[in-house]
Amino acid sequence: MAKNHRGKGLKNLPNHGRGECPVCHRTGVKLLYEVKVGEQTHKVCKNCKQSAAQKLSA
Ligand SMILES: [Zn+2]
């Protein structure tokens, strides 16, 4: 599945993959990246993807 985060694939997601990022708390951003923290999986925006794991587990 190429380009999972673009185009028609987004239509299948609830709210078209948009929402509030739990890390930066911006609304209307696309939450397409899953970050595992322990047993939980958080969906974060693209910008927070890399640093999210550290912040959420802190
Ligand atoms: Zn974010």
Side-chain angles (χ1 to χ4, degrees):
M1 294 281 284
K3 295 188 179 180
N4 279 337
H5 301 149
R6 291 185 183 183
K8 293 180 182 177
L10 294 176
K11 290 185 179 180
N12 299 326
L13 296 172
N15 203 21
H16 289 194
R18 290 184 184 268
E20 180 180 352
C21 175
V23 180
C24 64
H25 297 286
R26 290 199 310 171
T27 57
V29 294
K30 289 192 285 187
L31 305 177
L32 302 175
Y33 302 88
E34 294 182 350
V35 175
K36 288 185 179 180
V37 179
E39 296 182 354
Q40 289 185 322
T41 301
H42 296 272
K43 291 223 170 188
V44 301
C45 71
K46 188 176 184 178
N47 293 332
C48 295
K49 182 198 172 192
Q50 296 184 349
S51 59
Q54 302 170 358
K55 290 183 179 179
L56 287 173
S57 61

